[in-house]
Amino acid sequence: MIAPTPAHGKVKAIADLGIGKLTFRWMAAVAILACLVLVGLYSYAQQEIYGESVTGMATIGSGGAAWGLYIVFAVFFIGVSFAGISVAALIRLFGIQPIKHISRMAELLTIIALMMGALCIMADLGDPLKGLLNLPRYARTMSPFFGTFSMVIGGYLSASLLYFFLAGRADAAYMARYAPWGKFFYRLWATGYRGTQAERNRHQKTSFWLSLMILPLLITAHSTLGFIFGIQGGRPGWFNALQAPGFVVMAGVSGLGVIIVAVALMRWLLRLEKDIGLPTFRWLGNSLLVLSGVYIYFMIADQITANYAGVAAEARISHEIVFGAYAVPFWITVGCLVAGFAILFLQFVTGKSMIAWTVTAGLLVNVAAVLKRFLIVVPSQTYGTMLPWEPGSYTPSKVELGLIIGLFGLGTLMYITFLKVFPIVPMESHEEVSETEKDELPESGMRTVAMWLTLALGLAMAITGFLISARFGTEPTSDPIMPFSPVLFIAGVVTMFGSAVVYELFPDRASLLEPEQKPEDVPGPGEHVSMTPKEIVPAQKGQEKGELVSAGSSYRS
């Protein structure tokens, strides 16, 4: 019989990860970020008190632009979220080893970026409460705003949260056992996770199917965001078939760039050099190389079309962007994109990658991403009117800049706070299991029935809500026959994704027949457990007789 590893060693390991440990450097960062958040709150208060006259926005046709910096960064934040969950989904689908340790970093980045994007849209609304009530009440499926509202908020965010919750249950169970504080929170997250082979098999299934469903949802959500601009036939500069695919590709470019920078910072701050090495940055850099090359091609094709055969209004906007009022941000965009692409291409062809240069490329493409979103949103409002109005101009005010700075501070504050609460790198507690775990009772068929019933209920709700929101059988201009029918559609989408939670959390037959095992009883990483002689696993190749298999944490301090 092998004695268990002392628990105080696990507690020390958790402290070494920095969880629950408030260092001076961390508190200084929190203080700085809190100041930035206060700047954002003050700016928003000024806007609420004095109205949007304190911003640089104005009515189209009277010399201004109705959409400005808020919409620019709403698109930017939502774009950043694309790469985060995409990377996590690709890891689950294809088992990409070089980036497996950054999955939780990417998932958390997605959730926070979506929240910041939603706050940008709220800041842009003159009366946000009215918008929150009217959009879910009257939204029509024929509008791209319906797709963005329902797919991004209803599907995208909920799927990301569910994915994040299920992926963290094993580590939550480990933390519930060894963390010296917050046990109620960790037990709540673990939701009875015991670390059995059946639970791990179920999680592999749900993570695979969730990943498979999330990827097309991402493309749909970002395409509808592009359609908001691309299908406006009366707005030269926006009306373009490349808007939807361009939004998807640029989302990947900016998202990968932010992930590269964030992962480099986490690697340095948490000393994760052994877990996150050069292969991780090489994979991210090569992916960014491909996407940035595709977007450069899109930009070239767009400019050639507009200048060579575009109508007069399209040619006028294109000229203003390339050579006129917006030439400086345009050429900075081109320079940053090309420079980032060149850095990554040279690393690829020489086979010599450097983390510092990859991070530099990530920063460059994000400068280009922000400026490109500005060039998409603004010029078509100031120079894209088809009526005989004078050209306008737009310059962000201090209020707008302050609010955006506050949102960056809030997002970063949320991210570093999570570092003190939960492992940012999956701990991979249970890589091998005993033969007795494999011989558990077969799982109850009620689990599968409950999962399919939940999925069917969600599908029925989504279809019903969609048809009612589409005014099916009524006049297109009338109110929906059921108020808040878009909410029914969103609830249906959320319920469909929630079927994965039902499948994982539904109690199995073994848990009903055996005494309940608390999350803190789950064997931790590297822990040896006491077993009776008949439970000892037969010696495997490379093992000494009687030695138990255990997995060490991939997370080091």
Side-chain angles (χ1 to χ4, degrees):
M1 187 179 295
I2 302 175
T5 303
H8 66 79
K10 301 298 182 183
V11 175
K12 182 179 183 299
I14 291 174
D16 290 341
L17 301 180
I19 298 174
K21 185 178 180 182
L22 306 182
T23 63
F24 174 79
R25 182 171 62 177
W26 184 84
M27 289 189 290
V30 168
I32 294 172
L33 293 171
C35 291
L36 297 182
V37 173
L38 290 176
V39 170
L41 290 173
Y42 174 79
S43 300
Y44 186 67
Q46 293 295 302
Q47 181 175 311
E48 285 298 296
I49 294 171
Y50 299 106
E52 294 194 349
S53 60
V54 297
T55 70
M57 297 180 287
T59 304
I60 297 175
S62 63
W67 285 355
L69 204 63
Y70 298 149
I71 299 301
V72 169
F73 276 94
V75 177
F76 173 78
F77 281 126
I78 295 174
V80 167
S81 70
F82 175 86
I85 197 65
S86 295
V87 166
L90 291 173
I91 293 171
R92 299 302 197 282
L93 287 175
F94 302 107
I96 305 173
Q97 292 300 311
I99 59 172
K100 68 177 183 178
H101 292 122
I102 69 169
S103 60
R104 189 166 293 154
M105 297 181 192
E107 293 162 13
L108 181 61
L109 183 65
T110 289
I111 294 169
I112 293 177
L114 283 173
M115 293 179 179
M116 298 304 103
L119 290 176
C120 280
I121 296 174
M122 295 296 295
D124 187 69
L125 296 176
D127 191 343
L129 291 178
K130 185 178 292 185
L132 284 175
L133 290 174
N134 288 340
L135 187 58
R137 184 174 183 179
Y138 300 114
R140 302 165 71 235
T141 56
M142 293 75 88
S143 169
F145 284 100
F146 178 88
T148 303
F149 170 68
S150 60
M151 294 299 179
V152 173
I153 304 301
Y156 197 174
L157 181 57
S158 63
S160 300
L161 287 170
L162 292 175
Y163 196 95
F164 193 69
F165 162 70
L166 293 175
R169 289 180 67 218
D171 285 353
Y174 176 75
M175 295 294 293
R177 181 176 188 185
Y178 293 114
W181 56 275
K183 290 185 179 295
F184 174 77
F185 168 73
Y186 296 124
R187 289 174 184 171
L188 187 65
W189 190 336
T191 54
Y193 186 86
R194 299 181 300 154
T196 65
Q197 179 64 25
E199 285 177 313
R200 278 166 275 179
N201 290 340
R202 286 196 295 271
H203 179 63
Q204 288 178 356
K205 292 179 183 178
T206 54
S207 62
F208 175 84
W209 286 106
L210 274 177
S211 300
L212 205 60
M213 294 171 65
I214 283 174
L215 289 177
L217 176 66
L218 297 181
I219 296 174
T220 302
H222 287 274
S223 296
T224 57
L225 195 61
F227 285 139
I228 291 176
F229 299 89
I231 63 175
Q232 296 199 33
R235 182 67 59 189
W238 284 357
F239 184 59
N240 194 325
L242 287 179
Q243 290 287 18
F247 268 63
V248 173
V249 174
M250 181 51 83
V253 170
S254 59
L256 282 173
V258 171
I259 288 175
I260 289 172
V261 175
V263 169
L265 286 173
M266 294 300 103
R267 180 178 184 268
W268 172 63
L269 291 172
L270 301 178
R271 301 174 184 174
L272 297 169
E273 290 83 1
K274 285 190 176 180
D275 292 321
I276 304 174
L278 188 58
T280 300
F281 290 91
R282 184 180 294 117
W283 192 95
L284 293 172
N286 290 340
S287 300
L288 181 58
L289 169 67
V290 173
L291 290 178
S292 59
V294 172
Y295 198 79
I296 290 172
Y297 166 71
F298 279 6
M299 289 183 64
I300 294 172
D302 185 43
Q303 291 301 320
I304 289 177
T305 303
N307 285 280
Y308 183 78
V311 297
E314 292 283 352
R316 182 174 67 251
I317 292 178
S318 179
H319 182 272
E320 289 297 330
I321 291 175
V322 179
F323 303 108
Y326 300 97
V328 172
F330 174 78
W331 289 109
I332 293 176
T333 300
V334 172
C336 288
L337 266 179
V338 172
F341 178 84
I343 290 171
L344 298 171
F345 182 75
L346 287 174
Q347 291 190 139
F348 176 75
V349 296
T350 59
K352 299 178 180 179
S353 298
M354 293 181 62
I355 294 176
W357 281 112
T358 305
V359 172
T360 301
L363 291 171
L364 287 171
V365 299
N366 268 289
V367 172
V370 172
L371 292 177
K372 180 58 181 175
R373 269 61 178 263
F374 180 86
L375 293 172
I376 291 174
V377 172
V378 175
S380 291
Q381 299 177 82
T382 55
Y383 284 85
T385 59
M386 301 187 73
L387 296 173
W389 290 334
E390 291 295 323
S393 63
Y394 167 74
T395 302
S397 70
K398 293 180 181 179
V399 169
E400 292 172 272
L401 292 171
L403 201 149
I404 295 300
I405 289 172
L407 288 178
F408 271 102
L410 177 61
T412 308
L413 182 60
M414 293 169 66
Y415 204 99
I416 69 170
T417 300
F418 183 86
L419 300 180
K420 297 300 179 180
V421 177
F422 205 78
I424 194 63
V425 173
M427 301 178 75
E428 299 181 0
S429 310
H430 312 282
E431 293 181 357
E432 298 291 341
V433 295
S434 67
E435 293 296 330
T436 56
E437 284 183 321
K438 297 178 183 178
D439 295 334
E440 291 180 338
L441 293 172
E443 66 177 38
S444 171
M446 290 299 296
R447 178 190 305 279
T448 304
V449 172
M451 183 269 293
W452 281 110
L453 286 176
T454 305
L455 185 63
L457 175 63
L459 182 62
M461 293 168 61
I463 293 175
T464 303
F466 184 87
L467 293 178
I468 297 175
S469 300
R471 315 304 197 261
F472 184 77
T474 63
E475 292 296 328
T477 56
S478 63
D479 291 343
I481 58 176
M482 186 181 75
F484 296 98
S485 56
V487 176
L488 180 63
F489 173 78
I490 294 172
V493 174
V494 174
T495 302
M496 284 194 292
F497 280 107
S499 62
V501 178
V502 172
Y503 183 73
E504 283 209 31
L505 270 59
F506 195 89
D508 55 22
R509 188 178 303 173
S511 65
L512 296 175
L513 297 177
E514 299 174 359
E516 182 180 358
Q517 184 179 13
K518 297 181 180 179
E520 57 263 36
D521 296 330
V522 178
E527 178 182 3
H528 297 284
V529 297
S530 299
M531 303 181 72
T532 60
K534 68 178 182 178
E535 292 175 318
I536 296 178
V537 183
Q540 299 177 9
K541 184 178 181 180
Q543 292 181 266
E544 296 295 331
K545 185 175 181 180
E547 179 183 354
L548 298 180
V549 180
S550 64
S553 170
S554 63
Y555 203 146
R556 66 182 283 270
S557 61

